Amino acid sequence: MLTSRLRRPVTAALAVCSLAAAPTACAQTRTFAPLVERLSEPGGAFASDNLVSNETSYLHVLGEFRARGIKGGAYLGVGPEQGFSYIAEIEPEIAIIVDIRRDNLLLHLLFKAMFETARNRMEYLGLLYGRAAPPDLEFWTDADLFDILARLDLTPVDRATHDRQHRDLMARVARYGVPLSEEDRTTVRRFHDEFAYSGLDIRYTSRSRTIRMRFPTARDLYLETDLDGGRASYLATEDRWRRVQALQRQDRVVPVVGDLAGPTALGAIGAYLREADHTVSVFYLSNVESYLFRYGTFPAFVENVRALPTDHRSVLVRSWFGRGATLPSTVPGHFGTQLVQRVSRFLELSADPELVSYWTLVSDEESQLPVAVPPH
């Protein structure tokens, strides 16, 4: 199995809170904020808030992770919460969420506070969507996800409850030590309000376009399945959710502001991972490469990937949106296609990054997943 060759204690680089410690004690982070600052670079603009993914196929790669024995190591990824499901599957030593939007970092600080506060999935979702926890909270710990979501749907948002929850969560966020401007705080409040007042019907949105109703709701994404037909999101079971919670409470989910082709973030991440003796196991890219090709920065991205600590089993995960075209891995009925490619294969294909094309990468035969059609 792919694991981190960890020889130094994790505490050499991160202040790890004991899982037995109270959540409040774990929130008193000592090196979390300095690490966020060390690894980040100035943020850039993007056309969406991207509070929710639009990739209904995001879980299709999990079977490939299992087949390849991918566990541990360092997880790198972009985006909001879809990466939590990859983290729950591979249980990395550390997860670094790197995204060009500072807004994404702000959202992950809010997620961190929710994970640290919540006692189970039901309470976590209540905090996210501005709903009061049910009086029989413990009953819901081992409940089926469908029933949890149905209970959430039947619980109306309460302004006073949402205001109190947000205030308490932001007090916890303040203790992380990441400097927040008044504009940052306003942004976090806007994001939290969108979750609360849209509920489980919240969808991916672009600032310049109206909401596309064909995009999945958060409810849809939570209930998606892998290619074996099993529910496998980080909320699918209490155990999967707690795997992510444990890393959050130990400051081992680190949000970073950075351009994947930028001059600082990926280089700093690579240097840090080498210091801690971590090897990248999974690097989730979504469809970021399509933008790098469009803006002419793909060669810089290749060099950044080349500088990361990887081995022959490290993989890239990408999402391809074919706009009508299909690949062997495309599953009917899904918006997008997930692909898995060894980092070594990527670097081989990109030996001359001026000559490689995005199509070369996504159509690579080695990147295609086993053909399967899960129940949908």
Side-chain angles (χ1 to χ4, degrees):
M1 294 193 301
L2 179 59
T3 57
S4 172
R5 301 187 305 276
L6 184 63
R7 287 188 287 271
R8 295 186 189 181
V10 176
T11 49
L14 292 174
V16 178
C17 295
S18 166
L19 291 183
T24 302
C26 284
Q28 304 304 320
T29 308
R30 297 158 188 84
T31 62
F32 177 79
L35 185 59
V36 170
E37 181 179 6
R38 169 186 168 181
L39 302 183
S40 292
E41 62 191 15
F46 199 73
S48 72
D49 287 336
N50 203 18
L51 302 183
V52 178
S53 174
N54 61 356
E55 300 169 25
T56 59
S57 58
Y58 76 113
L59 296 176
H60 293 178
V61 299
L62 299 191
E64 194 68 10
F65 291 172
R66 296 165 194 152
R68 298 183 187 219
I70 297 177
K71 282 284 187 181
Y75 169 85
L76 304 183
V78 298
E81 63 177 348
Q82 64 263 46
F84 293 156
S85 296
Y86 297 158
I87 292 168
E89 180 67 34
I90 70 171
E91 300 180 80
E93 298 287 348
I94 187 168
I96 299 178
I97 313 297
V98 54
D99 199 290
I100 195 170
R101 295 161 291 205
R102 177 171 174 79
D103 288 359
N104 197 66
L105 175 145
L106 299 176
L107 180 59
H108 275 280
L109 294 178
L110 188 64
F111 284 143
K112 177 176 173 62
M114 292 172 183
F115 272 107
E116 292 180 350
T117 300
R119 288 165 286 179
N120 58 18
R121 290 173 294 161
M122 174 61 86
E123 188 167 33
Y124 171 83
L125 288 169
L127 291 170
L128 180 58
Y129 290 98
R131 270 66 173 174
D136 56 346
L137 181 63
E138 187 175 348
F139 167 82
W140 294 93
T141 296
D142 296 316
D144 185 270
L145 177 59
F146 185 87
D147 294 332
I148 290 175
L149 299 182
R151 175 65 167 77
L152 202 70
D153 272 329
L154 292 173
T155 306
V157 63
D158 177 75
R159 179 77 192 195
T161 296
H162 176 51
D163 287 348
R164 175 180 52 77
Q165 289 174 338
H166 184 80
R167 183 172 60 252
D168 292 345
L169 289 167
M170 290 307 293
R172 180 177 290 273
V173 167
R175 296 199 292 272
Y176 299 150
V178 177
L180 298 179
S181 66
E182 194 57 39
E183 182 181 1
D184 288 336
R185 292 178 176 278
T186 299
T187 297
V188 177
R189 179 63 198 238
R190 175 168 60 85
F191 288 168
H192 203 183
D193 284 351
E194 287 191 40
F195 279 102
Y197 295 109
S198 297
L200 292 170
D201 290 321
I202 191 171
R203 302 172 190 261
Y204 173 94
T205 59
S206 297
R207 295 187 182 115
S208 58
R209 296 179 238 174
T210 57
I211 295 176
R212 297 186 185 183
M213 298 309 291
R214 67 191 179 116
F215 285 161
T217 64
R219 182 190 301 101
D220 297 330
L221 292 169
Y222 297 152
L223 293 171
E224 277 296 345
T225 65
D226 59 22
L227 286 174
D228 293 325
R231 287 187 199 151
S233 80
Y234 77 102
L235 290 164
T237 66
E238 192 71 14
D239 177 66
R240 295 181 79 82
W241 178 78
R242 289 192 186 280
R243 294 176 194 176
V244 184
Q245 183 191 45
L247 290 179
Q248 293 277 11
R249 286 185 170 182
Q250 296 175 47
D251 297 342
R252 289 196 277 155
V253 180
V254 183
V256 170
V257 182
D259 182 345
L260 297 190
T264 304
L266 273 195
I269 290 169
Y272 166 73
L273 293 178
R274 289 183 189 280
E275 290 173 15
D277 205 12
H278 291 298
T279 297
V280 174
S281 53
V282 172
F283 190 173
Y284 164 63
L285 304 170
S286 187
N287 65 331
V288 169
E289 291 162 308
S290 65
Y291 294 94
L292 303 182
F293 276 104
R294 186 182 307 174
Y295 300 137
T297 58
F298 179 74
F301 169 65
V302 173
E303 292 309 306
N304 283 341
V305 173
R306 199 182 305 279
L308 292 172
T310 61
D311 64 21
H312 66 286
R313 290 171 294 181
S314 305
V315 298
L316 301 176
V317 174
R318 57 172 62 93
S319 309
W320 182 72
F321 302 98
R323 298 185 179 182
T326 62
L327 291 170
S329 294
T330 300
V331 177
H334 283 274
F335 186 76
T337 303
Q338 303 303 112
L339 303 163
V340 176
Q341 185 176 63
R342 289 179 296 114
V343 172
S344 57
R345 176 62 173 169
F346 168 79
L347 294 175
E348 176 188 338
L349 292 172
S350 305
D352 188 339
E354 298 291 347
L355 298 180
V356 71
S357 69
Y358 188 45
W359 176 251
T360 300
L361 299 177
V362 300
S363 63
D364 177 40
E365 185 175 329
E366 288 190 21
S367 300
Q368 309 306 314
L369 300 175
V371 178
V373 181
H376 188 66

